[in-house]
Amino acid sequence: MRVNFTVNGRPQQADDVWEGESLLYVLRERLGLPGSKNACEQGECGSCTVRLDGVPVCSCLVAAGQAEGREIVTVEGLAEHARQRAGGEDACGTSLDEARRWSPRGPGSQSDEGSTSPRATLAPLQQAFIDAGAVQCGFCTPGLLVAADEMLERNPNPTDADIREALSGNLCRCTGYEKIMDAVRLAAARQGEEA
Amino acid sequence: MDFLRPASWEEALAAKAEHPTAVPIAGGTDVMVEINFDHRRPEYLLDLTRIGDLYEWEAGEHSVRLGASVPYTRIMENLRTELPGLALASHTVASPQIRNRGGVGGNLGTASPAGDAHPALLAAGAEVEAESVRGTRRIPIDAFYTGVKRNALAADELIRAVHINKADGPQQFSKVGTRNAMVIAVCAFGLALHPETRTVRTGIGSAAPTPIRATAAEEFLNAALDEDGLWDSGRIITPSVAKQFAELCAAACNPIDDVRGTARYRRHAVGVMARRTLMWTWESYRGNARTMEGAA
Amino acid sequence: MPTNGAPTRITQGSHTRGGIGESTLRPDGTLKVTGEFAYASDMWHEDMLWGQILRSTVAHAEIVSIDTSEALATPGVYAVLTYDDLPTEVRHYGLEIQDTPVLAHGRVRHHGEPVAVVAADHPETARRAAARIRVEYRDLPVITDEASATAPAAVLLHENRTDPHAAHVRHPNIVHRQPIIRGDVERARRRADVIVEGEYVFGMQDQAFLGPESGLAVPAEDGGVDLYIATQWLHADLRQIAPVLGLPEDKIRMTLSGVGGAFGGREDLSMQIHACLLALRTGKPVKMVYNRFESFFGHVHRHPAKLYYEHGATHDGKLTHVKARIVLDGGAYASSSPAVVGNAASLGVGPYVIDDVDIEAVALYTNNPPCGAMRGFGAVQACFAYEAQMDKLAARLGMDPVEFRRLNAMSQGSLLPTGQVVDSPAPVAELLRRVKAMPLPPEQQWLVAGEEADVRQLPGGLSNTTHGEGVVRGIGYAVGIKNVGFSEGFDDYSTARVRLEAAGGEPVATVHTAMAEVGQGGVTVHAQIARTELGVAQVTILPADTRVGSAGSTSASRQTYVTGGAVRNACELVREQILERGRRRFGAHHPAWATAELLLEGGKVVTDGGEVLADLVDVLGDEAVEIEQEWRHRPTEPFDLRTGQGFGHVQYSFAAHRAVVEVDTELGLVKVIELACAQDVGKALNPLSVTGQIQGGTTQGLGVAVMEEIIVDPRTAKVRNPSFTDYLIPTILDTPTIPVDVLELADDHAPYGLRGVGEAPTLSSTPAVLAAIRNATGLELNRTPVRPEHLTGG
């Protein structure tokens, strides 16, 4: 079947979709947007979290056909989403081909990632994850970012318990969550300073 | 596999009548897991997410008509006063992402004994509004669960809404899992005080082939509250009454051993939850300011 | 003060920004937060096919027949392969013992064993086709424990064994046996005033990395294959893949794709050979991705264990002896069981001084799921048991459990039961002192506004099971010892290629290794080392692949030590060549070239007095300097098979934990409130990464304390909970605050004095949580994970 929907502000169309495919599969394998991750495909890990008409959901549990006509935001569109929320205009994003190729950047670019000179293309929360050391293997990171960004949108001054509750659907196996807590607190604090 | 996308409730009923094997899908919590893991290959998927009516609720004088697909998040946020037990239960469902998408219709359709909504529905008192091209009927919640993952729906019927009695007294819900979030119930317990009728109702999850009420426990407690005039006096429930109520709740269980827990533990835990939720709700009924309602 | 000297400062050769000792940020961080980082499951190729494995539905059976005809006839299917289709006579693989069939041959030995593989144009087509393969099984009796494995008439898991351990085991269903004998336990026992015994059970833990096993194999025009894969050790994979494919190693070009965690679970092959076979057979690229269900069958787990311990002590609290027997269930295939046995035995005493020791560790062959490497590797199971014993002894003696441990703690210069002298700092007593000295979290933090309970902070969490009723606090301590690096005489080396050149008027270093970055942050550290050693700002880390020599495994807490050591070594060689070139070109202009100690700093050659002699770009000119060199740590030797004596381990790593828990004693639910850790890391090359490793390892230890266990049916040997619905790992609501106190006592044998970090915190976390639960409940609790029914008598 054919499915049409909007991803990160761009209309997308997928053809020859098998009816049992999930939105996650279509994003990853048909649209070249593999940022949403496939850790469990049973709604138990949150690594595939996307926003469906604004609401964080597990894209592995959305049948592709259910996404017809809907608006999706994935981790690839998070920076642009944050910019629009902040009132900015410049468009940016990840080209599909770029997303498919991996070329580890040298630490030359690493110094650009420091908190002193945040890369303009990152959302504040993305920068906070890097700065706080919240990323190790990174497989949980996209889902956590989408979930945490939505929480901060609703609740700009969360308590620790609020953060834990909001992220209780996102498993991480590397970090022990401490630095993820740090990152969300950091993003909230930076957001507060700017406001 | 065919993907049916009815745009209206009438279209959905027609599709279900034409394809009785069609599997309704809304939040996808159960159906998509089965598809992703190759446990199920339905001939037809019947997508209900385009039917706006299913996402709406309406509070009447005595009950709330809750659309089958109203997400748990909405129930937690908007129906804490009318449906406190179900709001608490909704808060224990899986994760925020699942709560944003799943609704009571899915729990009822799957009819797993572990569904979190069931004990709250049983305790509050509810009717399932089932409809087919043949017409509409209301199935009392006590008659809805007919076996392990089986319910009273006919092959051509769909769940449109649930009519849940509005709370006329305190309600509570507890669930035991081996993790502090995102966990399927080892067992669960719901309790509702109904001061208007001077009755209590219970609901037990994951401790029998179907969700059940502990009717003997309810009858015992109704009688005990009545005999001692506690509804009027607002005095405390004695520990011995609470203990016997808990024991009767545990005795109502017919649990199994499985990877999530032992039968013996389930019985024990239902008893503990019965006693605790009774204390919480009764303290609340007495108007005691120290009552703690949880964080829902 | 520790008895082993004060924390040591390492003098750095450079003050270049972003060198060692600084918390520089991950070079792959931006890619990982934008979703651009390409994990193995993200690989994609035009016209690629999807591979699917058919796995056994039973644990032990003869294969009577396999019929693939219907699968082959399915439209969209390109290939269906079974054992008979394997291209060479080499049809088994294994890390140490080649006992694992690429595809089952005549018999399956565990639930979920690969029987056939399919390639098709869509994953659903491949799944449907796999389901159409008809396999007829004839059941065999299942072997599930020591008694059934070593019964005289037991079916042998592997007949006609020729591996190195076959000769010294008393039954062919025992993979390996390692005794550690020192002193005279019988005599020492007579000196003991108290003796405690215990039998302990450690459940089967899964690595549960989030990125499922995945790979993409692309057939090449030269008849070879390019394999993009998530693994822990590219070259060990290559060594096992090549003979099965019948290809020379240089025709199999392996590139590490993004790895979503590993923790030991990617040390063995998963679908590497299957994907290559399908690609070579079909002439098309083949992608394979396990789902979570398959992942539970697709990698080895942590060995479940039964441990029997007897300890003695005198009235004044000195340990007299230990006698122990550790039985590890290795499952159907050997994997790394022999090395796990060596670790369990040699580290089975723990970080304590005991002169009289009699330990035996064995691993079994059974029909249970194969077990192998997981973070902590044999030392984890032992630590759970000996730390429980320490608490029992302290209680019997009426001593404080921390003081009792400190009294018996090993230190630098102590003699291990293997006869090895501990020749670097071993601040066991100091680590215990530090965790005990940390402030305790306040009581009843769940009370908000003095009255209401925030259930998120109580046992049961959002499930609303208690508002404080039945909740009791407990505190527990534990400490552990883990070896770093590969032991027992293994030639443990790594290779680094470092290049320095001038580009765009700047000196640029390029580091190329085959080290598997699995999330640990090795790429960050390599850049830091290059900056420090070469005095440059710009460092490029090339993708890991097999075009450079082996880096060894990303396991055993060894990569910063060994591949970090190799990078430093290669940098030093590059520096020597640079200075040599500088002397040739500029030596005549300045006498310091010949006389002074020269350093590379800030892109310049400087004297140790700080005088600038030349810009690096001028020394380099148009000609790059490049060195590829192997580097190895000092050699170890095997343990004697009879006594366990030998210089078996190159380095030790120590961590101590204090756990604070709140237990709902009526429902048996546990909330860990805080897990404080103190660890000696020798030198923190990247403090941010170090604390991240400690917190992550601590949390995996917490998981196996209270929830994580693969449950195998003892009647059928089938796995009952292969999903994230029923194999539970801690969520953010299960994980407490984890304050970390990092001690840096240099090990003079190691690069920069560093000590491997990743595993030690996984050891002591579990027994600390168990001790805290015992403290709260008064129960004995001899098994982990603790389930609610264990706390309620159900």
Side-chain angles (χ1 to χ4, degrees), chain C residues 115-419:
Chain C
V115 174
V117 286
V118 177
D121 56 7
H122 187 280
E124 173 66 1
T125 315
R127 283 192 292 265
R128 294 277 62 75
R132 288 182 186 131
I133 299 172
R134 309 216 181 285
V135 185
E136 190 185 340
Y137 295 108
R138 186 181 298 133
D139 283 346
L140 293 168
V142 291
I143 288 170
T144 57
D145 57 12
E146 186 176 22
S148 57
T150 59
V155 176
L156 301 187
L157 265 293
H158 300 276
E159 290 173 26
N160 308 317
R161 282 176 59 185
T162 56
D163 61 82
H165 309 290
H168 65 255
V169 292
R170 69 179 170 81
H171 191 289
N173 282 342
I174 295 175
V175 185
H176 175 45
R177 170 180 184 270
Q178 180 64 61
I180 305 285
I181 312 285
R182 189 154 191 94
D184 183 342
V185 162
E186 298 307 319
R187 204 175 57 204
R189 185 184 277 128
R190 292 196 287 274
R191 287 194 289 116
D193 297 311
V194 295
I195 289 178
V196 298
E197 292 174 79
E199 185 179 328
Y200 302 91
V201 175
F202 200 103
M204 187 188 291
Q205 190 180 16
D206 187 64
Q207 296 83 355
F209 43 72
L210 289 194
E213 290 88 343
S214 314
L216 173 70
V218 185
E221 285 183 1
D222 65 354
V225 62
D226 294 292
L227 178 62
Y228 302 85
I229 191 78
T231 180
Q232 287 176 232
W233 188 357
L234 287 166
H235 287 79
D237 287 5
L238 180 59
R239 175 168 51 76
Q240 296 170 83
I241 298 167
V244 176
L245 300 183
L247 289 172
E249 290 189 359
D250 61 5
K251 287 249 176 116
I252 304 165
R253 290 158 295 261
M254 295 182 61
T255 306
L256 186 77
S257 43
V259 184
F263 317 118
R266 299 187 207 267
E267 200 154 75
D268 298 72
L269 295 182
S270 55
M271 90 289 281
Q272 282 89 332
I273 297 175
H274 301 139
C276 290
L277 285 169
L278 290 170
L280 291 168
R281 171 63 76 101
T282 61
K284 283 173 168 284
V286 173
K287 173 172 175 170
M288 295 183 77
V289 181
Y290 292 176
N291 66 18
R292 183 53 54 182
F293 174 85
E294 185 169 19
S295 180
F296 275 98
F297 297 98
H299 60 259
V300 299
H301 313 292
R302 188 193 297 293
H303 289 72
K306 286 204 168 84
L307 308 98
Y308 310 85
Y309 267 84
E310 174 195 312
H311 280 88
T314 58
H315 280 313
D316 57 357
K318 291 299 274 187
L319 288 164
T320 55
H321 70 281
V322 58
K323 188 171 168 64
R325 191 155 183 281
I326 301 169
V327 181
L328 302 148
D329 185 347
Y333 297 105
S335 180
S336 46
S337 280
V340 171
V341 167
N343 264 20
S346 60
L347 303 171
V349 168
Y352 303 108
V353 176
I354 309 182
D355 295 331
D356 297 281
V357 174
D358 180 353
I359 292 181
E360 177 194 41
V362 298
L364 306 171
Y365 275 127
T366 68
N367 293 115
N368 291 325
C371 289
M374 183 176 172
R375 196 176 199 167
F377 202 81
V380 160
Q381 295 91 331
C383 186
F384 167 68
Y386 63 66
E387 285 302 86
Q389 288 280 103
M390 292 304 115
D391 284 338
K392 276 191 195 175
L393 273 170
R396 283 280 295 279
L397 291 164
M399 292 179 73
D400 176 85
V402 170
E403 290 317 308
F404 175 70
R405 285 176 170 85
R406 282 167 52 89
L407 192 61
N408 291 285
M410 61 187 272
S411 56
Q412 185 163 4
S414 294
L415 192 66
L416 292 171
T418 54

Side-chain angles (χ1 to χ4, degrees), chain A residues 172-174, chain C residues 201-209 213 262-266 268 292 295-306 328-331 335-336 340 368-384 675 695-712 719 721-724 726-730 735 758-767 769-770 783-787:
Chain A
C172 169
R173 191 55 161 170
C174 295
Chain C
V201 175
F202 200 103
M204 187 188 291
Q205 190 180 16
D206 187 64
Q207 296 83 355
F209 43 72
E213 290 88 343
F263 317 118
R266 299 187 207 267
D268 298 72
R292 183 53 54 182
S295 180
F296 275 98
F297 297 98
H299 60 259
V300 299
H301 313 292
R302 188 193 297 293
H303 289 72
K306 286 204 168 84
L328 302 148
D329 185 347
S335 180
S336 46
V340 171
N368 291 325
C371 289
M374 183 176 172
R375 196 176 199 167
F377 202 81
V380 160
Q381 295 91 331
C383 186
F384 167 68
L675 252 174
Q695 289 162 339
T698 295
T699 303
Q700 290 183 0
L702 181 164
V704 81
V706 295
M707 62 182 82
E708 291 185 34
E709 184 175 12
I710 292 183
I711 298 170
V712 182
V719 178
N721 58 338
S723 74
F724 271 180
D726 285 314
Y727 184 90
L728 302 181
I729 66 173
T735 309
E759 291 174 287
T762 311
L763 271 62
S764 44
S765 162
T766 311
V769 171
L770 262 288
R783 136 178 251 291
T784 202
V786 174
R787 299 168 65 91

Side-chain angles (χ1 to χ4, degrees), chain A residues 21 28-29 37 39 42 102 107 110 113 126 135-138 162 164-165 173-174 176-179, chain C residues 25-26 30 32-33 39 41-42 122 206-207 287 292 456 531 539 696 708 724-725 730 732 735 738:
Chain A
E21 282 177 22
R28 290 175 51 77
E29 303 293 343
K37 289 288 168 268
Q42 56 183 144
W102 181 48
Q110 175 186 335
E113 289 163 5
Q126 290 171 315
V135 179
Q136 287 188 29
C137 93
D162 293 340
R164 289 187 193 275
E165 179 178 340
R173 191 55 161 170
C174 295
Y177 302 104
E178 280 286 79
K179 299 201 183 302
Chain C
L25 303 176
R26 298 187 66 96
T30 299
K32 284 181 172 176
V33 298
Y39 294 87
S41 54
D42 303 338
H122 187 280
D206 187 64
Q207 296 83 355
K287 173 172 175 170
R292 183 53 54 182
R456 298 173 296 190
R531 285 201 200 93
V539 183
E708 291 185 34
F724 271 180
T725 307
I732 197 167
T735 309
I738 308 173

Side-chain angles (χ1 to χ4, degrees), chain A residues 50-70:
Chain A
V50 301
R51 291 178 72 165
L52 177 70
D53 288 347
V55 176
V57 302
C58 292
S59 59
C60 71
L61 298 184
V62 178
Q66 293 183 301
E68 176 70 32
R70 309 285 188 196

Side-chain angles (χ1 to χ4, degrees), chain B residues 173-174 260 265 275 280, chain C residues 124 464 469 664 666-667 726:
Chain B
F173 176 87
S174 272
R260 293 174 193 152
Y265 174 77
R275 181 164 40 81
W280 298 340
Chain C
E124 173 66 1
N464 188 39
E469 300 92 332
D664 179 340
E666 283 188 291
L667 284 175
D726 285 314

